[in-house]
Amino acid sequence: MEENKYVIGLDFGSDSIRALIVDVLNGNELGSGVCHYPRWMEGKYSDAKISQFRHHPQDYIDAMTSAVQQALSSVNKDIVNNIIGIGVDTTGSTPAPVDENGVVLALKPEFAENPNAMFILWKDHTAIDEAEKINLLAHSGEFPDYTQYVGGVYSSEWYWAKIAHINEQDSAVAKAAYTWVELADWVPALLTGNIAPNQIRRGVCAAGHKALWHADWDGLPSEEFLTAISPTLKSLRAHYSKQVYTSDQEAGKLNQQWAEKLGLPIGISVAVGAFDCHMGAVGAGARENDLVKVIGTSTCDILMVKREDVTGKLIEGICGQVEGSALPDFVALEAGQSAFGDVYAWYQRLLAWPLQLGAEKYPELKEKLQDISSSLLPTLSQLIEHHSDSHVLALDWFNGRRTPFANQHLKGAIVNMNLGTNAVDIFRCLVESTAFGAKAINDCFLDQGMTIKRIIAIGGISKKSASIMQLCSDVMETEIAVVKSDQCCALGAAIFAALAAGVYTDSISAQKAMSSKFIKVYQPDRERSRYYRERYEQYLMFGNYMEEIIMATAAQTEK
Ligand SMILES: Nc1ncnc2c1ncn2[C@@H]1O[C@H](COP(=O)(O)OP(=O)(O)O)[C@@H](O)[C@H]1O
Ligand SMILES: O=C(CO)[C@H](O)[C@H](O)COP(=O)(O)O
C-alpha cells in the first residue's frame, strides 16, 4: 500500500511564524509549531511613533527553525519522512535590500544593526512622501498610469515607495543593495539555496500587487518612471527577473543545508511564495465571488473573481487586481484595513497603563496585574454584546487607511463623548468603527459592479470574539462564515505545497480536497442592522470631515 504524504505550510505573520503539517489527501492538520520573532518582541529596530517597523532577517531564520522543529516533534517519524513539500506565505509588502549574491544586508556584519538594511514590514509607513510622488508621476500623463491595476493609488506600505525612501535616507544601503526582495520570495529562495538575484523565482502576488508588475507594460514600470521617483532606483528594473510565477509552481527543492537544519527530507518541493491573505483565501476554500477577510492585527480582504469579470475593467481604490495571485486561474482583488485588532490593542495598552505602573511599584502584584491586563480585551468584547445607544463615534484609521483609496496620512478619532461615557462605550465605538471600515470596503467593490456572494472570515479575531463577529455581520448585513482551521493561511500554503509537489494537477481539485470547512455562520440581526445603517452614514460623514481637516493640517505642516 502506498504511504500517505504530507506537506508543511509556513505562515510568516507580523509577530510570529506558524508551521503546519497537513495531510495532502484531506487537509487534516496533524501538527504545528509557533515561534515569535525574538528581536521584534524586544521592540528592537522599530519606533511606532514614526511608524517605523522593521524585522531582522535573523528573526525569520531563528523563528522558522524553531517553529518547524516544534511542528516536526509533534508528529511521528513516519509522517516526517513522508513530507514532500513546503509552501510559504508571508506579510507584504515586506521587502529587504540584498547584495549581488542575494544576501540580505542586515545579515552582513557591517549592516547587522542598521534597521534600513532589514525587512521593511508591511505596516511601516515611513515612505508616505515617496508614495505621494509615485501617485503624482503615475497620474501626470507623462507615463502610463502604472497604478491602474493597484486601485489607482500607490501606498506607502508598498515596494517602490519603501525602497525610494530608504535609499534616499541611507546612501550606504542604497550603494550596497543590488536589488530588493520581498519576504514571500526570499524564504523559498533561502530554503532552496536560490538566493542569487538571477535565480530567485519571484511570485506574481508580490510583483503584481506591490511592485506594479503587469504584462501590459512587459513587467515592471519603465526605468524612466522608476528613476523619476528617485534616481536611486536606477538599475533595479534590470536586476528584477523578467518572469514571475504563480504559487502552484516550484521555487526549487529544499537544499541539504536547510533540510539538515530543519530536520526535513532533502530535495522536497518548495512552492513559490505569496502573501498571507491570498493563500489564506485558498485555504478557506474561496471560489468565484467569495470575499475572504483575514481579520487580525489588520484585515486583508481577497475577492476572488473570474478573469472575464474584470477584463477591460479597472477597480479603483483597492490594493490591486492580479491574475494568479491567489488561485492561478482567477483574478484576486485585494483590499484591507491597516488596523483592525491593532485598534483594540491600542485601547488595551491605554487602559493597562496604570496596571503597568502598579506592577512597577508593587512587584509582588505583577502577575495579578498582568492577568487583569490580558483579560481586558476578552472582557470588553463580551461586554459589548449588550446593546447600547451611546452616541460615541470613532474612525478606525489609527494606522492610516488602506482601502477604500489608500491614505496613510489619516488618523483615528473619537467624538461625541460626555461625562457619562465609560470604557465599554469607547471600546464599542472602536469595534463599530472597524466594522464600518469593513463595510466601506464591501461598498467599494459593490459600487463598481463586483458581486460578493459569500463572506468568509479567517484570522485570530474571527475565533477570539463572537461579539465582534456578530457586530460585523449586523453592520455588513450579510452572513459571515468562519472557517474551522485556526491556521488557514498556513493551510493555504500547504495546499500550494501539494500542488508544487505534483500531488494535484489543478488548484481547484487541491482546494476541494484540502481546504477548511466552516465552524460557524453569523446571521445579521435585522433590527440591529437598521440601527447600524444610520450609524454607518454618520461614520462616513465624520470620516469625510476628518479627512479634510487632517489633509489641510498635513498641507500646512509641509509649508
Ligand atoms: N478577545 C479579543 N477580542 C478582540 N480582539 C482581540 C482579542 N484577543 C486578541 N485580539 C486582537 O487580535 C489581534 C491579533 O490577531 P491574530 O489574528 O491573532 O494575529 P495576526 O494578525 O498577527 O496574525 C490583536 O491585534 C489583538 O488586539
Ligand atoms: O497587507 C498584507 C498583505 O497584502 C499584510 O500581509 C497583512 O495585512 C498582514 O497582516 P496581519 O499581520 O494582520 O496578518
Side-chain angles (χ1 to χ4, degrees), residues 21 34 45 117 132 231 261 345 432:
I21 302 177
V34 184
Y45 314 121
E132 266 165 21
K261 195 167 166 131
E432 286 175 1

Side-chain angles (χ1 to χ4, degrees), residues 15 18 295-297 341-342 344-345 377-378 381 459-461 464-465 468:
D15 300 333
R18 276 79 55 164
I295 310 182
T297 310
D342 242 3
Y344 316 151
L377 281 185
S381 115
I461 292 182
K464 282 175 189 152
S465 176
I468 294 176

Side-chain angles (χ1 to χ4, degrees), residues 11-15 18 90-94 121-123 157-158 205 209-210 275-278 294-300 302 319 334-338 402 489:
D11 170 37
F12 288 80
S14 299
D15 300 333
R18 276 79 55 164
T90 73
T91 67
S93 182
T94 303
L121 186 63
W122 63 275
K123 70 179 185 181
E157 289 185 5
W158 300 348
C205 182
H209 284 283
K210 314 297 180 192
F275 293 144
D276 35 20
C277 45
H278 295 257
V294 189
I295 310 182
T297 310
S298 60
T299 80
C300 204
I302 298 296
C319 307
E334 185 188 318
Q337 289 164 264
S338 297
R402 189 188 276 176
C489 295

